[in-house]
């Protein structure tokens, strides 16, 4: 079990090696390039004004500003809400800012809701605009772990931020994606207070560029490709794509493979997708982020769409109801032209179909819309 306090103290002393894996590090590094361990306490490196700018800007606020006028109780209208979020007159729990979120990001769509059976939203999302394209990250807290909402928030923030920074520093998309997952894993692991208190979450990211889409994941949150042309078919290339070239995308497709019991059964050819998902063990995770997760094994893949379309990044609160790529495409006919409306509509669709879990959806058109550098929302 990682000891976050120990890591921080060791790094703060100016050590030139990672306190976790022993790899050499440079003064001012924020995290180990080999294992992703946070090097807490080291000063921020001095940046060359002529160098590429940081790809992270002011985060979207989950909570209202401290000076904001308190909202009245949604049940009785009383204007005194306790620090615990309950009305001081009738005792009704007030909706948290994170219960339902829709980001106002021009040209993109991002929405999240706690669902109908959960008391809080344990999902988190982050959207970042960079020169290389649009970065979307979705993380789903593991409800059986402590503080899963903290885990998902830490993973989404770290993943989007580091992915943007590594791209700005010149890393290729797959390397940057892997480094981002490593940092997200380290930040979630650092939340553990003991072996019995290890917050955990799943993670999926998508970098949607002008010519390719790169996805990275650990767990069972997913990314899908939805073509703009409903008649699109898989590309046919004799002998397949050249060695090392990204896989081509035509028809609607699932871009990730679940790190779960069901995903493993399907990958091994033991069961069909429908059979595996119907089993009681379907959602038992075989990969996640957290101090108790074991060796990190992030999956990273790059695809080359053959035409316009949209990438949907989501938690299982959506795909539990719409698991097939073609079914999802049919439910999102305006994903390319109205991504914001599509994200909200897909969240509503999941709620209407039962809403048994938190649900988060980010929709990014391909090619991505023109946008300024460094704008981030979460």
């Amino acid at each position: 079990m990682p000891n976050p306090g120990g890591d921080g103290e060791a790094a703060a002393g100016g050590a030139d090696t990672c306190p976790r894996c022993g790899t050499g590090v440079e003064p001012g590094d924020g995290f180990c390039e080999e294992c992703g361990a946070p090097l807490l306490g080291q000063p921020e490196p001095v940046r060359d004004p002529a160098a590429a700018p940081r790809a992270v800007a002011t985060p979207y606020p989950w909570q209202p500003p401290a000076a904001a006028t308190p909202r009245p109780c949604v049940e009785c209208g009383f204007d005194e809400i306790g620090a615990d979020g309950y009305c001081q007159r009738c005792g009704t729990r007030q909706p948290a800012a994170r219960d339902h979120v829709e980001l106002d990001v021009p040209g993109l769509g991002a929405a999240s809701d706690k669902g109908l059976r959960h008391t809080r939203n344990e999902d988190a999302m982050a959207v970042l605009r960079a020169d290389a394209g649009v970065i979307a990250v979705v993380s789903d807290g593991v409800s059986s772990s402590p503080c899963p909402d903290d885990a998902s928030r830490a993973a989404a923030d770290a993943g989007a931020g580091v992915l943007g920074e590594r791209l700005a520093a010149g890393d290729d998309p797959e390397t940057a994606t892997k480094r981002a997952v490593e940092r997200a894993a380290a930040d979630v692991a650092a939340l553990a207070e003991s072996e019995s208190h290890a917050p955990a979450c799943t993670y999926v990211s998508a970098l949607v560029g002008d010519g390719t889409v790169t996805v990275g994941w650990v767990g069972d949150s997913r990314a899908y490709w939805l073509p703009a042309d409903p008649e699109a078919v898989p590309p046919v290339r004799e002998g397949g794509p050249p060695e090392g070239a990204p896989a081509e995308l035509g028809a609607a497709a699932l871009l990730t493979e679940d790190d779960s019991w069901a995903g493993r059964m399907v990958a091994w050819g033991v069961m069909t997708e429908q059979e595996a998902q119907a089993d009681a063990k379907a959602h038992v995770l075989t990969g996640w982020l957290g101090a108790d997760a074991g060796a990190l094994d992030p999956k990273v893949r790059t695809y080359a769409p053959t035409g316009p379309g949209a990438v949907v990044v989501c938690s299982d609160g959506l795909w539990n109801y719409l698991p097939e790529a073609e079914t999802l495409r049919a439910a999102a006919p305006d994903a390319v032209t109205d991504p914001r409306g599509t994200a909200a509509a897909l969240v509503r669709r999941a709620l209407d179909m039962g809403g048994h879990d938190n649900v988060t959806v980010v929709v990014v058109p391909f090619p991505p819309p023109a946008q300024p550098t460094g704008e981030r929302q979460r």
Side-chain angles (χ1 to χ4, degrees), residues 203-371:
Y203 175 99
V204 61
S205 70
L207 168 62
V208 183
D210 289 334
T212 61
V213 174
T214 298
V215 297
W217 74 96
V218 176
D220 63 353
S221 291
R222 292 182 172 185
Y224 288 86
W225 164 252
L226 309 183
D229 179 6
E231 303 300 322
V233 296
V236 178
R237 180 195 293 268
E238 186 174 350
E243 184 176 356
E248 294 180 331
L249 289 174
L254 173 62
L255 306 182
T256 55
E257 295 176 356
D258 298 342
D259 289 325
S260 66
W261 182 90
R264 183 168 292 180
M265 293 300 103
V266 173
W268 288 348
V270 177
M271 293 181 174
T272 66
E273 175 76 16
Q274 293 75 14
E275 292 170 340
Q277 292 297 338
D279 195 282
K281 300 184 290 295
H283 287 272
V284 174
L285 294 175
T286 58
W288 64 93
L289 303 187
D292 60 349
L296 182 65
D297 183 26
K299 314 305 193 297
V300 179
R301 291 181 183 170
T302 297
Y303 300 89
T306 58
V311 174
V312 172
V313 186
C314 64
S315 63
D316 62 354
L318 174 68
W319 71 253
N320 276 331
Y321 296 109
L322 301 169
E324 301 297 331
E326 182 54 38
T327 302
L328 182 60
R329 188 209 60 76
D334 301 320
V336 177
T337 57
D338 183 16
R340 183 176 181 180
T342 295
L346 289 175
V347 168
R348 172 49 56 188
R349 177 75 173 266
L351 298 180
D352 290 344
M353 296 178 75
H356 80 280
D357 201 354
N358 308 145
V359 54
T360 300
V361 182
V362 180
V363 181
V364 183
F366 175 89
Q371 55 209 344

Side-chain angles (χ1 to χ4, degrees), residues 138-165:
V138 168
S139 181
D140 181 356
V142 177
S143 295
S144 59
S145 73
C147 303
D149 50 332
D150 291 340
S152 62
R153 180 75 275 148
D157 283 353
V162 172
L163 182 46
E165 288 187 344

